Amino acid sequence: EDERLKIESGVEVVIGGDYYITVHGELWAEGILNDSIIFRPSDTIVGWNGIDIISTQIDNISKFSYSKIKNSNDVGLYASSVDSLFIENCILENNSASTGGGALLSNTTANIVNTIFRDNNAYPVEGGALYFYSSDVAVIGCLFENNAAHRYGGAISSNASTSKIVNNTIIS
C-alpha cells in the first residue's frame, strides 16, 4: 500500500484469467516509441479485468506512456482518487465494461494526450471509450475510433466533472 509499481519499456504483462491488476498507490508504466508496454490477457476469449489504481496517499502520481491496454472485460484502466494521472501516447483497445469501457476515472485529475481509444464499449450504460465522474480531466489530441455505449457517450461521458476536451478526432 502507498507504494510505486514501475514497469519498464518492452515489458508485456499477460494475465491468465479473470483477474485484475490492483495497485494501492502509484503505477508508472513508461514505455518508449519503439518499445511499448503491453497489458493483455493470455486468452482473448476469456479476457481479464483490467488495471485498478486506487490511491490512498497524498500527492500521488500515476503515469502511462507508450502503453497498450487491451481486451479487458471490466474497464481497461480504472483510477480512483489519483491526484495526477498522465496517459500519453497510449492505446486502449477492445475493452468493455458497464460504464467506461476503455477508462473510468473517479475523483481523479488526469491529462490524456495523443492517445488512441479504439473498439471499446460500455453496456448497458455510458462512456464507451472514457467515462469520468467528479474529476478534472484534459483530453487533448486523442483519437476515438469505433467506440460504443448503449445509452450515451460512445466516445466520452462525464458527470459532475470539469473537463478540457481539445483537438480530438472521433470516428464511428
Side-chain angles (χ1 to χ4, degrees):
E1 189 156 322
D2 293 339
E3 297 293 328
R4 178 180 297 153
L5 171 62
K6 186 170 183 178
I7 301 173
E8 302 284 335
S9 62
V11 171
E12 188 167 2
V13 180
V14 181
I15 306 300
D18 198 23
Y19 300 103
Y20 297 88
I21 295 172
T22 302
V23 177
H24 292 275
E26 299 179 347
L27 173 56
W28 290 23
E30 296 181 289
I32 57 176
L33 179 60
N34 293 317
D35 202 12
S36 62
I37 297 167
I38 300 172
F39 297 90
R40 67 171 184 85
S42 60
D43 181 338
T44 57
I45 294 170
V46 174
W48 66 302
N49 287 333
I51 301 166
D52 290 357
I53 304 170
I54 303 163
S55 189
T56 56
Q57 66 190 45
I58 306 252
D59 296 328
N60 59 76
I61 300 170
S62 286
K63 299 179 182 183
F64 291 83
S65 60
Y66 294 100
S67 296
K68 298 176 185 176
I69 302 170
K70 39 196 230 177
N71 300 312
S72 169
N73 296 326
D74 188 15
V75 181
L77 173 63
Y78 171 73
S80 177
S81 301
V82 176
D83 291 327
S84 297
L85 174 64
F86 298 95
I87 303 171
E88 300 169 336
N89 300 303
C90 292
I91 298 173
L92 285 83
E93 181 173 46
N94 199 34
N95 300 293
S96 62
S98 61
T99 301
L104 191 157
L105 313 177
S106 174
N107 298 304
T108 292
T109 299
N111 288 298
I112 304 170
V113 180
N114 297 329
T115 291
I116 297 170
F117 291 85
R118 181 184 296 127
D119 297 323
N120 300 289
N121 70 77
Y123 185 86
V125 192
E126 62 187 302
L130 175 62
Y131 175 81
F132 43 96
Y133 172 80
S134 191
S135 296
D136 185 357
V137 179
V139 182
I140 302 168
C142 295
L143 171 64
F144 293 87
E145 182 177 11
N146 199 34
N147 299 286
H150 181 70
R151 289 172 69 194
Y152 38 82
I156 301 170
S157 185
S158 170
N159 188 353
S161 297
T162 302
S163 60
K164 177 181 177 183
I165 300 173
V166 178
N167 201 28
N168 298 285
T169 302
I170 300 172
I171 301 170
S172 55

